[in-house]
Amino acid sequence: GAGVSQSPSNKVTEKGKDVELRCDPISGHTALYWYRQSLGQGLEFLIYFQGNSAPDKSGLPSDRFSAERTGGSVSTLTIQRTQQEDSAVYLCASSTSPNQPQHFGDGTRLSIL
Amino acid sequence: DQQVKQNSPSLSVQEGRISILNCDYTNSMFDYFLWYKKYPAEGPTFLISISSIKDKNEDGRFTVFLNKSAKHLSLHIVPSQPGDSAVYFCAALNSGGGADGLTFGKGTHLIIQP
């Protein structure tokens, strides 16, 4: 389909390992967002890309989190030295421009053992 | 400090009746509001939005009302159908805020009873 695609859909890993989550936005969408949803919580905004640049990285929970976007398309969210509190569903969204509705992927469910 | 609040974790409505989901916000800089619907194991799906220059927006069975003075918005679904059973998230945006994403409430689980 033509929606936002995220991979993997599920990831289980041991504490201390690094993980990389991938997001493939809707074609032509220049704005890309990462959110996470912890159990029983709403969605927490992490970072936004306009094209390849992220003007503000202050939403990332710690310096173990990083994100990049190349070619104005695919984005990866990397979590280094994972901790149990990183367990959550990580959602990616894209939109045609920052003030238009965002369209979400189905997320990556990350479980840290 | 929660800037978008959905005070009802769940709501049960009979099929065919009106469902009213409520949302309050505290940040007066928010000027664009959205409602999303989420099924288990899926990402949120955009339903309807409203700009702060309006007080009502309608799309089929869905209507969103905005009361800026009360910093309150609501989503009306009429008539409610079994497929409407899902978690509904209210979200808000400061469109002049630059690099901010949406601020979400914690959601309301709507259950449509047959």
Side-chain angles (χ1 to χ4, degrees), chain B residues 1 25 42 64 90 112:
Chain B
D1 176 34
Y25 61 97
E42 294 184 9
V64 56
C90 171
I112 305 302

Side-chain angles (χ1 to χ4, degrees), chain B residues 31-100:
Chain B
D31 59 359
Y32 185 51
F33 304 90
L34 307 91
W35 284 94
Y36 283 84
K37 173 182 179 179
K38 187 180 183 302
Y39 293 119
E42 294 184 9
T45 302
F46 169 70
L47 273 178
I48 193 168
S49 64
I50 189 167
S51 164
S52 61
I53 62 173
K54 294 185 174 181
D55 55 17
K56 176 182 175 181
N57 189 25
E58 191 172 351
D59 183 2
R61 295 187 299 116
F62 302 92
T63 303
V64 56
F65 295 92
L66 175 63
N67 182 334
K68 287 190 294 293
S69 61
K71 293 192 177 67
H72 177 83
L73 63 154
S74 60
L75 175 68
H76 293 210
I77 307 172
V78 56
S80 300
Q81 298 174 354
D84 297 332
S85 294
V87 177
Y88 288 78
F89 290 97
C90 171
L93 177 70
N94 171 10
S95 63
D100 291 334

Side-chain angles (χ1 to χ4, degrees), chain A residues 4-32:
Chain A
V4 176
S5 177
Q6 291 187 246
S7 61
S9 54
N10 285 282
K11 178 72 176 178
V12 181
T13 193
E14 293 179 345
K15 177 182 168 182
K17 300 283 190 183
D18 297 353
V19 295
E20 188 173 279
L21 313 178
R22 176 188 167 106
C23 172
D24 200 343
I26 293 171
S27 178
H29 281 197
T30 59
L32 184 148

